[in-house]
Amino acid sequence: MSDFHQNGIITDFHNLTRRSAEELEADLEQFSRQRPLGLILPSLYSELEGPALDAIVETLSSADYLSEIVIGLDRADRDQFLRAREFFSRLPQHHRILWNDGPRLRELDADLSAEGLAPQQPGKGRNVWFCAGYVQASGRTAAVGLHDCDILTYDRSLLARLMYPVAHPRFNYAFCKGYYSRIAEGKLNGRVSRLLVTPLLRALKTMHGPLPYLDYLDSYRYPLSGEFSMRTEVLDNLRIPADWGLEIGVLSEVHRDHSTNRLCQVDIADVYDHKHQPVSADDASAGLNRMSLDIAKALYRKLATQGVGFSSEGFRTLKATYYRLALDLIESYDHDATMNGLSLDRHAEEQAVELFAANLIEAGNAFLDNPREKPFIPSWNRVRAALPDLPQRLYQAVEADNAGDV
């Protein structure tokens, strides 16, 4: 596949020799004796009934280098939580499920709300945030990975390659982002990254000049991938969005807290496929429509912290600049797909770009109309400052949910 990004800002680990999963895991087992490793799995209950998660859990059962697996479970009632406990019971590693809709965690959420510290909306960001709090309170791991639960092409090497840079005792990386080609069933996928994020970043650079933050984001081959790993202490200071802006928010936070020579990306899969979101052009609360709005707002908020000013006129200019760049990229994607024997629906691509362009204005209006909005979940450092006993109470609540009657 063609490389549409300019690299050089962060270290990029290519999959050059295709080392076997067994070789990688043997190294990780040795590394884990010095730096214990864990995994976070943010999951909806519906994913337990889907085609991907059963195979993921079966594969993880042989990942002996993992000391702990933490599953964040959303949208589950009591019976569903009990079924989830049974579903994940085959994992031989120490594992715990955060029943985010259960009474114990809801009580903690109410205490956070009373201090103005609770996540403002449900979603993957909220799920990951609570899991991060548990990982810190547990203290079992020194580095932790995270990936989604809908990966249809999951295999052992994916997680092993993702964990390797933060696990190796001679490496000093604090954070690693996974990437891969988005090809499945003869089609070029990854629409939001290709058609929104890449041309939007370049439009912002055209308007506001070469900013280190924008160059940094543009150096990621797949900034919206849901797979990353990090040293556990990185979790302390993360202030992340609760919505679909999670991935951009995490990249922004690690850039704020760490030198780029401690950040890297790694090629983790030859083939990758997962559940595809519909465009949902008629419903701004769902699908790629909602995703594009959340991502644009996350970028605007982060750029504002860099001193970039925004206005209604500026957003209209941004829309026009983005639209032209996105159409030019569609031409490149079409040629790339043809050369590789893939299909690409140019009409559908241009329809998506038209929707995303309109959403840049909608996201801009939302940004300008809500100057008092608190879009980011507070860091766990701040939670400990306000409620020193809450991490331990979170730990005890999760232990109680997993050990006894609920």
Side-chain angles (χ1 to χ4, degrees), residues 239-252:
R239 296 173 62 250
I240 57 176
D243 54 24
W244 286 106
L246 169 66
E247 284 76 19
I248 292 294
V250 169
L251 295 184
S252 301

Side-chain angles (χ1 to χ4, degrees), residues 19 41 59 277 319 358 391:
R19 291 183 68 196
L41 296 175
T59 301
Q277 294 283 345
K319 174 187 174 183

Side-chain angles (χ1 to χ4, degrees), residues 166-185:
V166 298
H168 200 296
R170 286 196 295 106
F171 295 176
N172 193 37
Y173 298 106
F175 175 85
C176 176
K177 180 80 163 176
Y179 71 86
Y180 32 77
S181 297
R182 291 304 316 278
I183 302 169
E185 299 178 348

Side-chain angles (χ1 to χ4, degrees), residues 65-229:
Y65 56 87
L66 292 177
S67 298
E68 180 175 65
I69 297 177
V70 177
I71 303 109
L73 184 65
D74 274 346
R75 301 184 192 174
D77 60 25
R78 178 181 179 278
D79 289 340
Q80 290 169 331
F81 170 67
L82 293 174
R83 284 197 288 271
R85 284 202 322 199
E86 178 64 25
F87 180 88
F88 289 105
S89 65
R90 75 188 102 160
L91 289 171
Q93 301 93 340
H94 179 274
H95 61 277
R96 292 293 183 264
I97 303 170
L98 273 72
W99 181 20
N100 292 319
D101 299 302
R104 290 187 175 99
L105 266 62
R106 286 294 182 189
E107 181 180 346
L108 295 181
D109 189 71
D111 291 345
L112 288 164
S113 293
E115 294 290 334
L117 299 175
Q120 297 298 301
Q121 57 182 298
K124 181 181 175 182
R126 179 185 185 276
N127 191 334
V128 169
W129 186 79
F130 270 107
C131 288
Y134 177 83
V135 166
Q136 292 175 296
S138 169
R140 290 177 174 270
T141 57
V144 64
L146 185 149
H147 64 65
D148 292 330
C149 293
D150 62 350
I151 307 171
L152 296 167
T153 50
Y154 193 82
D155 64 25
R156 292 164 59 186
S157 62
L158 184 151
L159 180 60
R161 290 191 62 80
L162 182 66
M163 297 298 300
Y164 204 96
V166 298
H168 200 296
R170 286 196 295 106
F171 295 176
N172 193 37
Y173 298 106
F175 175 85
C176 176
K177 180 80 163 176
Y179 71 86
Y180 32 77
S181 297
R182 291 304 316 278
I183 302 169
E185 299 178 348
K187 296 186 296 183
L188 189 59
N189 293 319
R191 290 169 294 177
V192 181
S193 191
R194 289 190 297 108
L195 301 177
L196 174 67
V197 176
T198 295
L200 177 55
L201 290 176
R202 295 178 184 183
L204 287 164
K205 285 197 282 189
T206 298
M207 290 182 61
H208 299 289
L211 296 175
Y213 170 69
L214 293 175
D215 289 336
Y216 159 77
L217 286 182
D218 201 26
S219 72
Y220 283 99
R221 292 174 178 266
Y222 191 32
L224 298 185
S225 73
E227 294 75 30
F228 41 86
S229 60

